[in-house]
């Protein structure tokens, strides 16, 4: 592909990403995979160049552009080398006109930027668009540090037990350590949330928004095999992705439970007032994961944020009913917005005097509004807010 053809491909791919963001469709990564599968003629250098174009545009513009062409035209205003690629050549984009639409503005929409936690200043926000590292978690029941350090001499030891970091781009999923269940890919921030769940040794655990089971498996790796762990979720597709991970890890104390949306209490009734630990890794805006999914900004509207906050409050209320007296509830979001983090915790504790927040002593994170804040700038993790609560 010529440079102009690569730019045109980026425009077409961005059109699909913009529509998906508007309609809450597939992620940019999944759209790109399908896009290139249909264009087998595109070589590795072509795919890399197209991806660089689209992610440069996604990271640059906080508001969703009108179109892929408007996005690249806006980028060309700041990168003159792109202007020459609008040359009207075969397979390339037509020449820019003086009056056509061009994307512009700030990288984070003003309405959203002002809702970040008080600790998130401009330096913190800038790092939200850096490339994310590759963190792994060692399963101490199946592997040891010597083995993985032998496989990857460049591995970096992180400040949590069994947590390590590899250079970005390292091939992990084809490794013996991964396929045998010795390691899992997991951000250090997610591992910190698992650590916060282990202030006591619970006998019955409910992971109420388990998704693909990353934190569920992290708990199983740290707890005795006799501990009963329930991985629950309302999304059948997400929950099904835990199965191959269970086989690799050889964990035999995890049960999956599919919940019906808005009827979760029916399936969870047997666990009411019985769980020693409930983890609510709640659905959220994902503002803490922009390094991996910057197009999430294009999905956000005040209405969607309000809907998400209401869902989180409902799940927090539901989860609290499952906790036994003296048990713990850990609430977490991969978000750096007060509405999803500190506000949720403080409102819950204010309205439920039978609960108290517990201080969590970890080597990373900063205390913030009855919980802990993790950020890419300060901790090298994805952005998270979490809190640990105890039922009196």
């Amino acid at each position: 592909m010529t440079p102009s053809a690569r730019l045109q491909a980026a425009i077409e791919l961005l059109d699909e990403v913009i529509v998906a963001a508007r309609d809450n469709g597939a992620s940019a990564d999944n759209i790109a995979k399908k896009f290139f599968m249909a264009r087998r003629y595109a070589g590795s250098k072509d795919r890399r160049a197209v991806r660089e174009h689209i992610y440069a545009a996604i990271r640059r513009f906080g508001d969703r552009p009108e179109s892929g062409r408007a996005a690249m035209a806006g980028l060309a205003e700041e990168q003159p080398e792109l202007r020459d690629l609008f040359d009207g050549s075969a397979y390339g984009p037509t020449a820019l006109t003086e009056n056509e639409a061009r994307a512009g503005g700030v990288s984070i929409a003003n309405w959203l930027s002002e809702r970040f936690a008080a600790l998130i200043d401009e330096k913190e926000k800038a790092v939200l668009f850096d490339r994310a590292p590759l963190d792994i978690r060692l399963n101490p029941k199946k592997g040891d540090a010597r083995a993985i350090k032998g496989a990857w001499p460049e591995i970096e030891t992180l400040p949590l037990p069994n947590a390590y970091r590899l250079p970005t781009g390292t091939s992990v999923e084809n490794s013996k350590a991964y396929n045998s269940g010795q390691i899992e890919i997991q951000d250090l921030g997610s591992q910190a949330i698992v650590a916060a769940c282990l202030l006591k040794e619970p006998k019955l655990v409910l992971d109420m928004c388990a998704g693909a089971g990353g934190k569920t498996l992290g708990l199983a790796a740290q707890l005795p095999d006799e501990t009963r762990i329930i991985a629950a979720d309302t999304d059948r597709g997400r929950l099904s992705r835990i199965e191959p991970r269970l086989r690799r890890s050889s964990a035999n104390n995890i049960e999956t439970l599919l919940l019906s949306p808005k009827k979760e209490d029916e399936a969870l009734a047997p666990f009411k007032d019985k769980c020693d630990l409930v983890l609510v890794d709640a659905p959220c805006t994902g503002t803490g994961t922009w390094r991996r999914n910057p197009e999430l900004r294009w999905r956000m509207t005040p209405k969607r944020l309000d809907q998400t906050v209401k869902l989180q409050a409902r799940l927090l209320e539901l989860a609290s009913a499952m906790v036994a007296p003296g048990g713990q509830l850990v609430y977490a979001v991969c978000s750096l917005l007060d509405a999803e983090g500190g506000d949720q915790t403080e409102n819950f504790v204010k309205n439920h005097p039978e609960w108290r927040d517990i201080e969590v002593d970890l080597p990373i994170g900063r205390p913030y509004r009855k919980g802990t804040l993790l950020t890419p700038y300060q901790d090298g993790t994805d952005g998270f807010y979490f809190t640990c609560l105890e039922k009196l």
Side-chain angles (χ1 to χ4, degrees), residues 284-288 312 333-338 340-341 373 383-385:
C284 67
T285 60
T287 51
Q312 291 163 348
V333 284
C334 51
S335 171
L336 297 173
L337 303 184
D338 270 335
E340 300 182 275
L373 199 68
F384 287 99
Y385 170 89

Side-chain angles (χ1 to χ4, degrees), residues 197-353:
C197 291
L198 301 175
L199 301 183
K200 298 180 181 178
E201 190 174 287
K203 302 298 183 184
L204 176 60
V205 176
L206 171 63
D207 186 350
M208 208 173 79
C209 306
K215 296 181 181 67
T216 313
L217 289 164
L219 289 166
Q222 299 290 331
L223 292 170
D225 292 341
E226 295 75 30
T227 305
R228 186 184 179 194
I229 303 175
I230 312 299
D233 204 281
T234 58
D235 189 304
R236 184 185 300 272
R238 282 200 304 263
L239 194 60
S240 68
R241 292 200 289 273
I242 196 176
E243 295 301 333
R245 304 176 80 180
L246 282 175
R247 290 192 292 271
R248 284 201 311 272
S249 72
S250 300
N252 55 16
N253 59 338
I254 296 176
E255 307 166 35
T256 58
L257 177 63
L258 182 64
L259 307 176
S260 296
K262 298 183 180 180
K263 297 181 180 179
E264 298 94 340
D265 54 338
E266 295 178 8
L268 293 173
F271 305 106
K272 188 174 181 180
D273 295 324
K274 293 182 180 178
C275 297
D276 304 302
L277 169 67
V278 176
L279 169 61
V280 182
D281 185 10
C284 67
T285 60
T287 51
T289 66
W290 284 352
R291 296 184 303 175
R292 305 176 194 276
N293 305 293
E295 83 276 7
L296 289 177
R297 289 151 39 251
W298 294 357
R299 297 170 182 260
M300 281 303 303
T301 64
K303 181 179 179 181
R304 285 185 180 177
L305 174 59
D306 183 59
Q307 291 171 338
T308 301
V309 168
K310 289 178 180 177
L311 172 61
Q312 291 163 348
R314 187 175 71 81
L315 293 176
L316 192 52
E317 193 75 30
L318 178 62
S320 67
M322 304 300 129
V323 182
Q328 295 177 346
L329 170 62
V330 174
Y331 170 79
V333 284
C334 51
S335 171
L336 297 173
L337 303 184
D338 270 335
E340 300 182 275
D343 287 356
Q344 292 283 18
T345 298
E346 292 186 355
N347 288 338
F348 179 81
V349 173
K350 177 182 177 181
N351 294 323
H352 296 81

Side-chain angles (χ1 to χ4, degrees), residues 46-275:
D46 297 323
R47 295 193 299 271
R48 188 180 307 113
V50 172
R51 283 180 178 273
E52 286 175 356
H53 283 322
I54 69 164
Y55 278 104
I58 291 171
R59 290 187 174 94
R60 170 60 187 86
F61 304 115
D63 289 316
R64 189 172 64 243
E66 178 182 314
S67 66
R69 182 176 172 90
M72 296 312 302
L75 208 58
E77 291 292 301
E78 302 171 1
Q79 299 180 19
E81 66 275 13
L82 291 181
R83 296 179 195 172
D84 296 336
L85 301 182
F86 287 85
D87 58 7
S89 60
Y91 306 110
T94 58
L96 291 168
T97 62
E98 184 177 345
N99 297 321
E100 73 174 276
R102 289 171 169 81
V106 293
S107 58
I108 305 176
N110 291 329
W111 75 268
L112 186 57
S113 185
E114 63 190 18
R115 301 193 184 202
F116 275 80
L119 297 181
I120 309 300
D121 58 18
E122 293 308 311
K123 288 182 179 179
E124 292 267 6
K125 290 176 183 176
V127 177
L128 294 176
F129 300 103
D130 285 356
R131 194 172 183 187
L134 175 60
D135 296 346
I136 61 173
R137 172 182 57 77
L138 173 69
N139 182 350
K141 294 181 179 180
K142 297 204 71 175
D144 59 65
R146 289 175 299 175
I148 61 171
K149 288 179 179 178
W152 294 291
E154 70 277 22
I155 201 166
E156 175 187 352
T157 301
L158 296 176
L160 285 176
N162 307 310
Y164 300 90
R165 179 164 293 167
L166 289 166
T168 302
T170 301
S171 178
V172 170
E173 293 182 348
N174 293 324
S175 69
K176 178 181 178 181
Y178 180 83
N179 288 315
S180 63
Q182 296 179 60
I183 62 169
E184 277 284 348
I185 298 171
Q186 188 174 45
D187 181 76
L188 179 64
S190 292
Q191 296 185 55
I193 292 168
V194 171
C197 291
L198 301 175
L199 301 183
K200 298 180 181 178
E201 190 174 287
K203 302 298 183 184
L204 176 60
V205 176
L206 171 63
D207 186 350
M208 208 173 79
C209 306
K215 296 181 181 67
T216 313
L217 289 164
L219 289 166
Q222 299 290 331
L223 292 170
D225 292 341
E226 295 75 30
T227 305
R228 186 184 179 194
I229 303 175
I230 312 299
D233 204 281
T234 58
D235 189 304
R236 184 185 300 272
R238 282 200 304 263
L239 194 60
S240 68
R241 292 200 289 273
I242 196 176
E243 295 301 333
R245 304 176 80 180
L246 282 175
R247 290 192 292 271
R248 284 201 311 272
S249 72
S250 300
N252 55 16
N253 59 338
I254 296 176
E255 307 166 35
T256 58
L257 177 63
L258 182 64
L259 307 176
S260 296
K262 298 183 180 180
K263 297 181 180 179
E264 298 94 340
D265 54 338
E266 295 178 8
L268 293 173
F271 305 106
K272 188 174 181 180
D273 295 324
K274 293 182 180 178
C275 297

